[in-house]
Amino acid sequence: MQRVVVIGGGATGSGILRDLAMRGIPAVLVEQGDLVHGTSSRYHGLLHSGGRYAVRDPESARECAAENAILRRIAPFAVEPCGGVFLQLRQDDPAYRAEWLAACRRAGVPVELLDLERLRREEPGISPDAVAAYRVPDASVDGFRLISGNVAAAEALGARTLTYRRVTGLLMDGARVAGVRLQSERTDASEALEADLVINAAGAWTGQIAAMAGIHLDLVADRGVLLVYHGRLTSRVINRLRPPGNGDIFVPAGSVTLLGTTATPVESPDNLEIPADEVASLLRLGAEMLPAAATSRVLRAFAGVRPLFKAKGDGASTRDLPRTYQVIDHAGAHGVEGLVSIIGGKLTTYREMAEKTVDMAAGKLGVTAPCRTAAEPILPPPEPALVRSVQAFVGPAHAAALAERHPAHLTAVVRELSAPKGSEILCECEQVTRGEVIAVARSLGEPSLSDIRRRTRLGMGTCQGAFCGYRTALVLAEAGVADPAAAPGLMLEMQAERWHGVTAALPGPELPGAELTYALYAGLFGGSKR
Amino acid sequence: MKTQSYDVIVIGAGLAGLMAALAAREQGAEVAVLAEGGGAFELSSGCIDLFGATESPWTAMTGLRKHPYTLLGAAAVREAVSAFVAASGRMGLPYSEPADGRNQVTVTAVGNLRTTYLPAPGAAVIRPDPAADPGRRPVAVIGLQGMKEFHPGVVAEGLKRALPGTPVTARWVPLPAGTPDDLQPVQLARLLEEPVFRAKLLQALPSVPAGTTVLMPAVLGLDGAEAVRADVSAALGAPVGEVPLLSPSLPGLRLATRLYRYVQRRGVELCMGVQAAGAAAEGGRITTVTGQTVGGPVTYRAGAVIVATGGLLGRGLEVRDRTLCETVFDLPVEQPGGPWADADLLSVRGHAFVRAGVRTDDWLRPEGRANLYICGKLLAGYDPYAEGCGGGVAIASGWRAGGLAGGAVR
């Protein structure tokens, strides 16, 4: 039987699962949606150097600087070491520069002054208003790869994961939490999982879980809106050298560039609305750093919700709330045994958050094994022979990408690539093959196209899935992975989800693309729902 | 700079522009069509929608407000539809108007039913009304193995839901040995026009019981589609109906091919690869249009100009600084009043940005323009996808604009 149930399949929960497994503690992770369906996939994908927090939140900055170095070492399959720049513009407060440099030095964030003329040659898109630039070790991190890597590593050690299971209540044994009650989001079946300890790592939903034990946590759901641009507007992360605000981070990722973010407190972590004024503010502010951001094609907008915690006396703006974290043993704090919550934090520091949480859990369970998550790579490097066999089907560059995307399932990918038509391209923008899609789909059972998109980047390019989603649903039916009767629903679900993001970014150069999608799907589905 | 003179210049070679050119020519005008590309034909099922999912489009269109149909009036729409049907017969791609004036029902690539007024020649037409088909004729869906754009089982499952009680079967037929991998629909259609390849496919086809409705993907030939369809039907022992694919759609391309040839035969000069880049006016009248061509700029002198450049997809409209603008004459564009789009992709209300366009007087002229006419998707006030009226508005407004322009200059 599991000793621990971990609630939440985001970065923190998956990191905790791996840490528990490495210390020999049997555990099950439960997640209400797909892995990473929450905030860990709804952010800019920046592996922070710490520079952003150096002045106002030095503790977070120190944590980021340390964890950034660790993650590059243990998760090379998820990190694109593109580097980053802090850019000061003519209109920014010149005095902030010295303050920032001193704070970075104190926090251990490596900073190096750049030759602006050379930077302009390398990054021709930056504004003529730039007056100074500093290099920092920012990177782009693929939340999905990172989390599925942690889960795969934990599963290899015997841990289990249950996705699409919503926690509907906690099993109580008097004042002790004795497990969780789950309901399947797919079949409506319910089940109970008993455990010696429940770890609440539900991110933005942590408060809702704690409330099931009658505990009130002072959390703030802070919604951030981001834009996804077609193509790479920049080859490295571009930050603005001023106090953190809206629209001051560009992160290149795959074939797109992300611009983030806004910060608006919301009542519910499920509030993923994308207000037009926030989109307009991002466009305006983003263009101050990269003028092309005003006119380049925005593929879509999306929103995620940061789980921040609010200590007494913190200021009113969510920008001022710390990005640090806190591990709470509810036995001491609220008289409820058997429940530990981890609140706050950010993806860059997920590993350290997991370590501190499992330190507390291990203490409560009487386990003395130390944390080893920083010392060992999450996954062994892909076997060269296996990568070579992938190359036979898709070429060297793409083989390396596949090895990074599917470190734990590469054997299955090779098997499906070698099947007839396995190397046929289904998504031209992201070069996703039929073999990759089928291997991923088989590993998931009955996935949605969004589940496949998160694992392969299918549909994340120019057509936003209008053409490749259609093809993929038909191919899944042909391969026997999807029921032919379900194929139309699969393509429509993907388009409905994408439409939400596309329409939020209107009106801009993406408008003809939106009309094309609408024309095609109204045609396929017999018009609107009239 | 080279200068050429015409009575009427049409900008845009989509369905609306070509109908406008034909109508102006009918009035005896000298007509040139200037076009960058070939319209939205490759996205089109080739079927001409008139209005809605209702049984009679004629009844439904009478209740509209601020819609292109209300400018045109039902009589003009009827005249234009008849003109299109007559022209389609003369171009060898005969469409036929339903005798009862009601919408027909076709099948989409995911097995949904879709209404239209003039099905593309060869399109699969279904009679979902049990009274019209009391015996429930069986339906057989046949896919071609190796084509990733069509799955017969998906179509069959959709039809089972849409037509309860109708026996529907699905099967795959292999493409002839040696067929190249990863064939695109257009390449496959061309291959099927080659006698040797076609004979091999015909051999692989099953024969079906008489009275079966057979559905196949719409790849049965491009220009020679009629012959391919006839051979396939003969091999099956029952007439085959085609299901249009997402894009490129062969039935749309067939219509384009025939229309281009037909307008040229009628004496219209079809100038492709010309981007209309500007115009000169005197006293509220356009006198010349400048076109950019690979051979340099050309000036076209014209008595009247018809703008059939389309909406966002045709680039008759584009977004500049979060505002929709008309691309050739910078005509005023009616912007969406509230939210640009509904949150629901297939919302019954349609989407406001699709209704944006240029408003005109009853003679299809923007305010203050004496010899400039608008037709097709550039017109404001309709959502062809929600209303099912794209083909109808293109034909009717094009025909009317061409008639007015041609009449005015003669």
Side-chain angles (χ1 to χ4, degrees), chain A residues 283 421 424-425 470-471 474 477-478 485 499 503 506-508 511-512 515-516 518-519 523-526 528-530, chain B residues 53 108-110 112 114 146 148-149 151 161 312-313 319 322 340-348 350-351 383 385-386:
Chain A
L283 287 169
K421 288 180 168 277
E424 182 177 76
I425 302 287
Y470 166 82
R471 283 196 289 266
L474 298 188
E478 190 199 328
W499 184 256
T503 55
L506 299 181
L511 205 57
E515 183 168 334
L516 178 62
Y518 174 40
L524 267 183
F525 286 87
S528 60
K529 298 169 192 155
R530 49 197 174 203
Chain B
T108 77
V110 293
N112 282 322
R114 187 170 186 287
K148 61 186 175 209
E149 295 84 3
H151 189 301
R161 275 195 304 271
L312 286 158
L313 291 181
V319 182
R322 305 182 75 72
W340 283 57
D342 196 277
D344 182 358
L345 172 61
L346 298 185
S347 163
V348 68
H351 299 292
D383 179 335
Y385 318 110

Side-chain angles (χ1 to χ4, degrees), chain B residues 290-368:
Chain B
T290 309
Q292 297 294 346
T293 75
V294 285
V298 177
T299 301
Y300 300 87
R301 188 167 292 284
V305 176
I306 297 173
V307 192
T309 45
L312 286 158
L313 291 181
R315 280 198 281 146
L317 294 176
E318 67 180 20
V319 182
R320 283 183 222 140
D321 197 18
R322 305 182 75 72
T323 305
L324 279 169
C325 303
E326 192 277 321
T327 48
V328 182
F329 298 94
D330 204 15
L331 298 169
V333 174
E334 185 176 87
Q335 308 287 324
W340 283 57
D342 196 277
D344 182 358
L345 172 61
L346 298 185
S347 163
V348 68
R349 291 177 293 277
H351 299 292
F353 76 89
V354 178
R355 291 178 205 276
V358 175
R359 285 282 171 199
T360 68
D361 63 15
D362 287 352
W363 293 271
L364 298 177
R365 295 175 306 190
E367 196 185 343

